[in-house]
Amino acid sequence: MKYFWLFLCLIFTTNFVAQTKIKGQVIDFDSKVPIAFASITYNNIKFNADWEGKFSIEVKDYKLPIKVNFKGYYEKITYPQPKVYNLTIKLINDLNEKKAEIYTENNVNNIIKKVIENRKLNDPEKGLSSFQYKNYEYLQVTANPDSISSKIDTIYKNRFLRKPLMKLDSTNYKFKKFSEKQHLYQTEKVNLIQLNHSEYKETVLATRMAGFKQPIYEYLGLKLISYSVYENPFEILEIPVQNPISNFGRKLYNYKLIDTVKIDGRSAYRIYFEPKKLNTNRLRGLLYIDTINFAICKAYFRIYGVVNINATYTFDYKKDIDIWFPKNRKFKVSKGNNHEDIKILGGTIKFSSDLDLTESKNATDQAYVSIESTPFDIEINKPISISKPRVKIEVPKSSLEQESNYWNVFKKDTIDKRKLRTYTSIDSLSLSEKIEHKLFLGRKIFNGYFPVSIFDIDLRSIAKYNNFEGFRLGIGAVTNSKLSEKYKVAFYGAYGLKDDEFKFGITPSYLIHNNSETWVSASYTDDISEIAQTNFVTDSRRFKIYDPRPINISTFYNNKMSSAFIESKFLPKTSSYFGISHNQIQPLFDYTFINDGKSYTNYTITTLQLAVQWNPFSNYMQTPVGKIEYEKRHPKFSIQYTQTVPNLLENDFVFSKLDFKTYYELPFLSGQKSSILLQTGIAFGDVPITHLYSIVPNNLNRDAILQRITFAGKNSFETMYFNEFFSNKYASLQLKHTFNKIRLGYKINPEFTVVTRMAVGSNNKNNQHVGIGYKTLEDGFFESGVECNKIFKGFGLVAFYRYGPNQLPNFDDNIAIKVSYYLDLGF
């Protein structure tokens, strides 16, 4: 009997060991995107993978195949292997199969329609008259140390005519030990969310960032993902995508009713959605929809592509008002199937681009960004008072001064000792490496200044070059807040080596209103300006190591200008300017202006100017250091009106100018982007050529193509010659599309942009301008080209071709080849 029981135990033990549980995932071979609900057959048993393409099976016999099928793909047959517990199955597209459009079933289609019809009632931001709640948000960049190998690798480095050099690489080991002690980075905030009759406001109550005494205000306004699941377009990493529960979204997604489940005691449909084009990187996910009021009561979103994103929304059912209110949001992002590093908070973190379930060889591939936000102290349909409703986000000074005890309330995981160590360690790192000072310095340089004591040195005034002045050497600066926060003085001086003339300017300013950043200024300059150039005074100042286009310009006029003006951001979402100026103008080229039978070679112009830039789709943040456009949205609009003042300060001519510009940029989740620039202007009255429109030409009038090679401008017409066209009214349109960088080799990653530019204009008073010949643009001007930018260390090449009615007879004269340069400051 004893041997009999021993024999039975041996049999059962053998059978138990023989059955091995393995996990797997089905993905697309090319895009690495999981294939939801793929059909799997093993040991004559057929079942489906889940919505993330994952499955698990009990392997009884390693000789039995695993068969995987999905419509539009070749069947994949694979065999399980001993000691392989994680399996990735990659299906290849069947290009020979003519795929018919997969339509959503009528039943689930009707459910989605009802969700869309009822979203205004179910969306708390639309269905409720008012609410407010506090929200705790915690962001961390971290890694699971258990998933990191502590193995020290051996690396062999080849050497010329010598034996390879053997080195030990302990990177993975060090990274594992570091991750066991602390997170890579973390930051947290508490904000008050208020809504009152569609008026929305966020007030930061407390914030702290590891390594910084003062927060990065831009981060506080960073919208990594939409707070509302009903919002359209839906926000993912600040890039808009179509929401699957929008009218347009129904044209892009397929829906599949999985089953019905219970949430908070209420029945909910569980519906899977995916793009109609399976290899795209649009949203995929699961929606849990209340069967009675058709509200979203839980949602999972995934994106697989340039980045891999997991987002989870949960809700609480409020029975008294029949609405599902946000309970928790979780967000996780890791690197996808691209070759570029993901940057967050100015740092570069390397993430894995592999969806395989096997352990990664690179330790840093295990790092990820995690964000969790949890509402609390919720008040619904109660009287709410919103202060300063003109800004979407307010960061009062008190939010930066919260004691450490304040944060103890939000300690959810007392075992997470890494959190405290992260603040201590990174704060020390910040002090030792002066990270905060470097960030402050970077912001100054980004805006074109370098701080020295009470002055910010103007980097653009140090050295310039153009064909008229030759090298222009100078110095410029503006006083900063160390001297005073209420007033500032900007000044510059420059000397042209070729024209042998000194230029200068000074502008004192006084701050009359802090929150609206309203400054009143006076200015005097004695300098030169390009003829027929349109400058929008409300354009933001951005740093350029050089301004490429003026290098080629040789036609200027001297302008002694006295002015007084006011600049303000008082009106919501605008920057405005109002000023009066007195200009004594002397053309520095052969030119005479004929007006009412009188000839002018020098003249005086006194003007009033009103300009407004309106960014209606952008959002603004009020901080202790001023107002910040934290959410830059397009289109943006600039309008500028200039009027001469008759009989004031010896004004010689009467004319008016109205200028308009709009810019729209559309970023794609893939990293590509498209843009449109529309600009137009019209001048009425007697306008000298110095104040007409030349539409930004940038080509030299030389015979050979190689002789015309210069630097390309940003938005200039590269095949249009200087002084070729002048107009008193015009319109120009520029269309661009920029593709992702192409990795060709070490530090050679060109970025290609296709560009088309067109312009039309006219000039009905040509007989007034003597001494300079030009053409008009009634028939239009057209050019197209390709920009190959950032080939090596910021340098690139561009090529454009001129065509249409103003095409030149010689083929070579229509071609422009230029050098481009982009300086990436990394801020």
Side-chain angles (χ1 to χ4, degrees), residues 637-684:
F637 306 93
S638 296
I639 189 167
Q640 184 168 279
Y641 179 71
T642 306
Q643 175 66 57
T644 61
V645 186
N647 305 318
L648 180 65
L649 300 176
E650 302 176 343
N651 177 67
D652 287 322
F653 314 126
V654 178
F655 65 83
S656 307
K657 292 181 70 176
L658 183 63
D659 301 301
F660 173 78
K661 177 175 69 173
T662 182
Y663 179 72
Y664 183 76
E665 183 174 281
L666 177 63
F668 300 97
L669 194 61
S670 62
Q672 301 182 40
K673 62 181 179 181
S674 297
S675 66
I676 301 173
L677 174 63
L678 172 65
Q679 192 164 323
T680 184
I682 184 169
F684 305 93

Side-chain angles (χ1 to χ4, degrees), residues 312-451:
T312 304
Y313 289 80
T314 56
F315 301 83
D316 270 333
Y317 180 66
K318 306 294 182 182
K319 188 176 181 180
D320 54 333
I321 54 176
D322 188 31
I323 205 165
W324 291 85
F325 202 82
K327 178 182 179 181
N328 183 263
R329 310 175 189 95
K330 292 182 179 179
F331 177 54
K332 181 179 177 180
V333 58
S334 58
K335 188 177 178 182
N337 57 6
N338 66 324
H339 299 284
E340 300 297 323
D341 294 328
I342 295 174
K343 295 183 179 180
I344 184 168
L345 302 178
T348 299
I349 303 160
K350 295 180 180 179
F351 299 116
S352 175
S353 60
D354 194 358
L355 286 174
D356 290 355
L357 298 174
T358 55
E359 186 182 83
S360 173
K361 294 180 181 179
N362 186 357
T364 55
D365 289 349
Q366 302 296 333
Y368 59 89
V369 180
S370 173
I371 302 174
E372 183 172 0
S373 68
T374 307
F376 64 99
D377 292 351
I378 300 169
E379 299 179 20
I380 297 176
N381 290 339
K382 293 183 179 180
I384 292 173
S385 175
I386 298 179
S387 63
K388 299 178 183 178
R390 292 183 176 182
V391 290
K392 281 277 188 176
I393 301 178
E394 183 180 0
V395 187
K397 193 174 182 181
S398 59
S399 67
L400 314 178
E401 300 169 347
Q402 296 289 359
E403 299 292 335
S404 57
N405 292 335
Y406 178 89
W407 301 98
N408 294 336
V409 183
F410 307 103
K411 285 185 178 178
K412 292 174 55 180
D413 188 358
T414 54
I415 325 173
D416 188 7
K417 297 178 180 178
R418 297 195 293 169
K419 183 176 180 180
L420 180 60
R421 289 189 186 129
T422 304
Y423 277 120
T424 308
S425 174
I426 294 186
D427 283 341
S428 302
L429 180 66
S430 174
L431 291 173
S432 63
E433 297 189 4
K434 299 181 179 179
I435 294 176
E436 202 161 7
H437 175 71
K438 290 178 181 177
L439 182 63
F440 165 78
L441 184 63
R443 283 175 173 162
K444 289 282 188 179
I445 293 175
F446 186 70
N447 289 313
Y449 296 100
F450 186 88

Side-chain angles (χ1 to χ4, degrees), residues 65 74 92 107 305 335 348 410 418 457 510 512 549 556 630 637 689 703 725 738 743 812:
Y74 290 106
I92 300 174
N107 187 22
K335 188 177 178 182
T348 299
F410 307 103
R418 297 195 293 169
I457 304 300
Y510 182 77
I512 60 176
R549 191 177 155 273
F556 292 87
Y630 72 91
F637 306 93
I689 203 166
D703 293 334
F725 299 96
T738 302
R743 298 173 65 89
D812 292 355

Side-chain angles (χ1 to χ4, degrees), residues 26 38 48 63 82 273 317 382 418 425 472 510 526 572 599 647 688 709 717 734 825:
V26 184
N48 291 327
K63 294 181 180 178
F273 69 90
Y317 180 66
K382 293 183 179 180
R418 297 195 293 169
S425 174
R472 173 184 169 124
Y510 182 77
D526 184 351
S599 300
N647 305 318
I709 293 180
F717 283 78
Q734 301 190 31
L825 294 173

